[in-house]
Every structure is written in structure tokens, then in C-alpha cells.
Amino acid sequence: MITTVEPATGRDPMRIALVLVVGMIMATLDQTIVNVAINKLSMEFHAGLSTIQWVATGYSLALGAVVPTSAWLVGRFGAKRLYLTAISAFAVGSVLAGLSWNIESLIAFRLLQGASGGLLMPVGMTILLRAAGPDRLGQLMSTLGLAILVGPLLGPVIGGYLIDEVSWRWMFFINLPLGALVLLLAVRVVPDDAPEPPRALDVRGLLLMSPGLALVIYGVTAAGESAGFATPAVLVPLLVGIGLIAAFVRRSLTISVPLLDLRVLGNRVTGTSAVLLAVFAGGYFGSMLLLPLYFQVVRGESALVAGALGIPFALASGVTMQVAGRLIDRIPPGRYLPASIMVALTGFVLFVIQLDADAPYWALCLTMVLMGAGGGGTLMPVMTTATRPLSREQQPAGSTVLNMISTTSMAIGTAVASVTLGALLPVTGGLQALHAMTADQRAELAPALADAFQHTYLIAPVMIALALVPALLLPRR
């Protein structure tokens, strides 16, 4: 949620925006760098894919859980102090993650990273609006968009190099000098502010939502390990999680100051856009775990090469995102969004069709351009479409709800993709068994491994195709 006050004087808003960009790049680097490391982490900790995926899923869940509390925290502690604390906590969490001694400790420290990283964007936007005022916000927000472009572009490549040539631990340690640089600049550039009387925080809602989501995802991953849902280890967490989420939804619709104001979804355009976002984000982001794994497990590439081969995807997504914001202001959403979704769907379908053990890289990269362009052209415009019909007072709440939907869908999509792939791998023991094989044994198994990835990748185009349904229901004028 963004707090609007009079613009601060005496500080250049562009300098403030550039400092915030460096902080956000640190968080987006870390979010994308881990996907390249999944195979290495599985090998290092002797853990299966359903367990290792919590390194990414736990980060997303923690990130989403903390976003609704950002407005209360800004009021309680002040924007600058909270931002400096979040940067410091993220750097400390990164160092602890690099020092992890087992998979459980790594997941725990990733939760700390996600909780602190989730504050950087909403608190940074509050700082920027206070410094510049609403008149210059559009220009400065486009500057913040650099983080969305640079992080996913450089993260997999830097991470791949560190994993191959140094150590997987350095993909976390690298955040320490970055965090120190951001702290030094922010102390000097970001204007001071005083805490304000915060609104009430719905603690009960927070205690219902976060454990509920975690239990549902745990139930899904446990179902993959148990090859079904008909066991207490699966049913109990799944039903308890669903019950907690249902209680959270009921509470959000009945109390005056909820953690998430779900009543904004009562607007037809906002509700329809939210459904579109949930389905599209689940398929789109869920598939991101698979791409570097395919290049490493099936094609035998290094982490660096796997990261570099993802550049067309990230570059197309970031560049298209910069253009899409202008297009959605000119073209009705009911016409623009179906076309953008079709671009993504075409890319994913072509990618799945040719995904085998010998697919030429140039052809895969061409389809990745379509995949990335369709994703970058859809995600921000659907957020704009969802918040546009809301009143000025409702827009911060709507933005928070939509960000929560996006991060939750990302976590669920990642969990479902990893569980599905783990179940389809043609070896008993999953990734651990593959790590124990010789290069010749893995090469002989490559066609069957490619089939497993191909069938898992089908989840993405199916969900993206389903997103066309709500997109076609949006206004065409």
C-alpha cells in the first residue's frame, strides 16, 4: 500500500529512484538466480525435487505474506528506517543462506530473505511517491522497471558462473557487498521521515493466511511424493490449509479493516482480471523452474550455459513489459490481453512440441522469445486493468490483493511443476538417482528424461489457454 504525502524537498527524486533500483535488482537477482541452482542444490544436499523446490516456493510465500503488512510497518517505523532494516535483513539472510549446513536451514533462511525482500518494492514506492509527488511518478516508475529487466537478465548468468567456477554459496554471499552499497547510498540519498499513527493490523488474518497457504502447498508436494491424495500425510495438511484459507476469506469480507480487502474483487473487471492473473501466473512462473533443469539434466549443460540460454526469455519479457504499459492505455483490455496471451500460448506450444533430447538451441531460443514477450506483455497490463476501475481509496488495497495473488500463484505453480516432474522422471529416486549415474548412463536416458520434461511443460500452455476465458470477458471498448 502506498501512503501519499506532500513531496519531500531538497532531494533529487531521480537519484532516489536509482538507489531504489539497485536494491530491487538485488532482490530480483536472488529470486531468479536460484532456479539455475536447483540441480546443484539437489546434489549438494541429497534432496529430491519436491523438497528442493521449497527453496524457491518458500521465498515466494514469505514475500507474498509480508506485502499486506507493509503499510502498517511504514506507519509504525517510518519508510526510510523500514527500508534500511529490510535491506539489512535481506543481506543477513543471504549470508546465512550461504552458510546453510542442510536443506532445512537453507529453506529457513530463504524465508527470512523473502520476508525482507517483499518489503523492498512497496516501501520503495512509498519513498518515491513522497519524494516526487504523483505528477512525476510515471517517469520514475519506468526507472524502477529497470530492476524487472536487469535482475532476471543477469541473475541466471551470474548465478551459473558462481555455481560452476566458485561455489553455490556465493550466489547468496554476493548480496552482502550489494546490500552494503545500497545501505550507504540510501542513508545519504533517501530523505528522513517520521513514523505516523498506523492503521490497525489484522494479526488474526495474517495468522490464518500464511499457514493456510503453506499447508496447501505442502499437501500438494506430499501428494506427489505419496503418488496420491488418499493418505493422512496428504489429506490432513491439505484440509487444514483449505480451512484456514476459507476462514481468512470469511474474515476479510466481514471485518472493517482486513489484512487484504477482498471486497475489491466484487468489481466485475477487477474480479475477472484477478482470475486471469491467477491462472496465467501459475502456468507462466511455474514453468520457470523447468527451463534451467532441462538444459542441465537432459542436455548435460553447465549452470552457466543453462543460465545464458535463458537470456532470450528474460530479455523479451523485460523489453515487452516496458512497451505493454503504454499499449494498455490505448487498446481496450478485452482486445489487447487476448492477443498478448496468444503470443505466450503460441510460444509455449511451439516450445513443448520441439522439446526433446536433441532440439536445436536456436529453435528453442526463438520460441522462448515468444514465451517471454507474451508474459511481459500480459502481467503488468492485467494489473493495470484490474486497478483502473477502482476508486482512488480502493486502489492501494486492490494493488496489494493482486500482488498477493501473483506471488501465491507463482508459489503454487512452482510446487505443482516440481512435483509433476519428480513423478514423471524415469528413474527411481528422482534427481538423486540421476546424480549417481555416469555421463554415459544419463546420455542413454536422455530421451526418456526429455519426455518427462515435455509432459510437465504441458501444464503451462494448458493454464495459459484457460487464461483466455476471463480475458475474453473483459471490456472490448
Side-chain angles (χ1 to χ4, degrees):
M1 186 179 293
I2 303 170
T3 305
T4 306
V5 298
E6 291 299 317
T9 58
R11 303 292 176 98
D12 180 8
M14 184 56 71
R15 290 179 64 195
I16 296 172
L18 292 173
V19 171
L20 297 176
V21 164
V22 179
M24 291 175 189
I25 285 176
M26 183 175 70
T28 54
L29 269 175
D30 203 78
Q31 196 167 4
T32 55
I33 210 171
V34 167
N35 286 341
V36 181
I38 291 295
N39 189 51
K40 178 67 174 180
L41 293 175
S42 173
M43 187 184 308
E44 184 76 17
F45 293 113
H46 307 289
L49 192 54
S50 60
T51 301
I52 285 293
Q53 61 89 22
W54 280 98
V55 175
T57 302
Y59 181 93
S60 297
L61 281 176
L63 187 148
V66 78
V67 168
T69 68
S70 59
W72 182 86
L73 290 169
V74 166
R76 177 67 178 82
F77 299 104
K80 180 175 181 178
R81 185 188 301 175
L82 182 59
Y83 186 79
L84 296 177
T85 302
I87 289 290
S88 301
F90 191 87
V92 170
S94 298
V95 172
L96 292 173
L99 296 173
S100 298
W101 54 92
N102 57 26
I103 187 59
E104 291 80 11
S105 62
L106 178 56
I107 292 171
F109 296 139
R110 285 287 288 170
L111 291 174
L112 174 59
Q113 279 190 300
S116 51
L119 291 172
L120 296 182
M121 177 63 83
V123 178
M125 289 176 66
T126 298
I127 291 170
L128 199 58
L129 183 55
R130 288 178 171 182
D135 294 341
R136 293 187 61 187
L137 189 62
Q139 173 194 0
L140 296 171
M141 280 297 293
S142 64
T143 304
L144 292 187
L146 291 172
I148 301 173
L149 174 60
V150 174
L153 194 62
L154 296 182
V157 179
I158 294 174
Y161 171 79
L162 293 174
I163 291 164
D164 288 340
E165 304 298 331
V166 189
S167 166
W168 65 267
R169 298 180 185 275
W170 274 94
M171 70 180 184
F172 297 116
F173 291 155
I174 194 175
N175 287 325
L176 185 59
L178 282 175
L181 174 63
V182 176
L183 277 176
L184 178 64
L185 294 174
V187 166
R188 300 181 60 182
V189 173
V190 175
D192 295 324
D193 64 318
E196 302 170 355
R199 69 168 193 169
L201 177 65
D202 181 18
V203 177
R204 189 182 301 177
L206 184 62
L207 294 177
L208 289 171
M209 178 193 70
S210 300
L213 291 172
L215 284 170
V216 166
I217 294 177
Y218 176 81
V220 171
T221 56
E225 293 175 342
S226 305
F229 289 87
T231 62
V234 174
L235 283 176
V236 171
L238 203 57
L239 293 176
V240 172
I242 291 172
L244 290 174
I245 293 172
F248 169 75
V249 171
R250 183 178 183 277
R251 178 175 176 80
S252 298
L253 295 174
T254 54
I255 67 171
S256 57
V257 187
L259 182 70
L260 289 175
D261 190 359
L262 300 180
R263 286 167 290 214
V264 297
L265 300 179
N267 180 284
R268 188 182 72 84
V269 173
T270 303
T272 303
S273 299
V275 173
L276 191 164
L277 178 64
V279 178
F280 187 92
Y284 182 76
F285 288 118
S287 70
M288 289 187 177
L289 185 80
L290 303 175
L291 188 62
L293 270 178
Y294 163 77
F295 287 124
Q296 293 175 80
V297 172
V298 180
R299 308 301 291 267
E301 300 291 357
S302 66
L304 175 59
V305 172
L309 286 169
I311 287 178
F313 188 102
L315 186 61
S317 176
V319 171
T320 308
M321 197 174 290
Q322 306 302 311
V323 179
R326 298 181 179 90
L327 292 178
I328 196 63
D329 288 335
R330 302 176 182 177
I331 306 173
R335 298 181 184 275
Y336 170 81
L337 284 169
S340 180
I341 292 171
M342 279 302 302
V343 172
L345 181 59
T346 302
F348 273 97
V349 169
L350 292 175
F351 186 85
V352 171
I353 288 173
Q354 62 182 326
L355 196 65
D356 57 33
D358 303 304
Y361 285 168
W362 66 266
L364 292 176
C365 287
L366 283 178
T367 57
M368 280 191 274
V369 169
L370 290 176
M371 293 155 63
T378 300
L379 291 168
M380 292 306 291
V382 75
M383 299 275 278
T384 302
T385 300
T387 54
R388 183 175 286 159
L390 301 178
S391 67
R392 187 180 184 87
E393 294 74 22
Q394 290 177 311
Q395 283 184 345
S399 177
T400 303
V401 170
L402 291 165
N403 276 294
M404 186 67 206
I405 289 172
S406 178
T407 54
T408 301
S409 298
M410 182 190 308
I412 293 174
T414 300
V416 170
S418 63
V419 168
T420 304
L421 178 62
L424 292 176
L425 286 175
V427 289
T428 303
L431 285 182
Q432 303 101 299
L434 290 174
H435 297 151
M437 292 181 178
T438 65
D440 290 339
Q441 288 173 323
R442 285 198 301 270
E444 186 177 346
L445 200 59
L449 289 171
D451 286 343
F453 276 88
Q454 186 179 48
H455 288 102
T456 305
Y457 248 110
L458 283 172
I459 297 171
V462 168
M463 294 189 71
I464 290 171
L466 289 174
L468 280 171
V469 177
L472 292 170
L473 299 176
L474 291 171
R476 299 176 63 82
R477 293 186 178 181

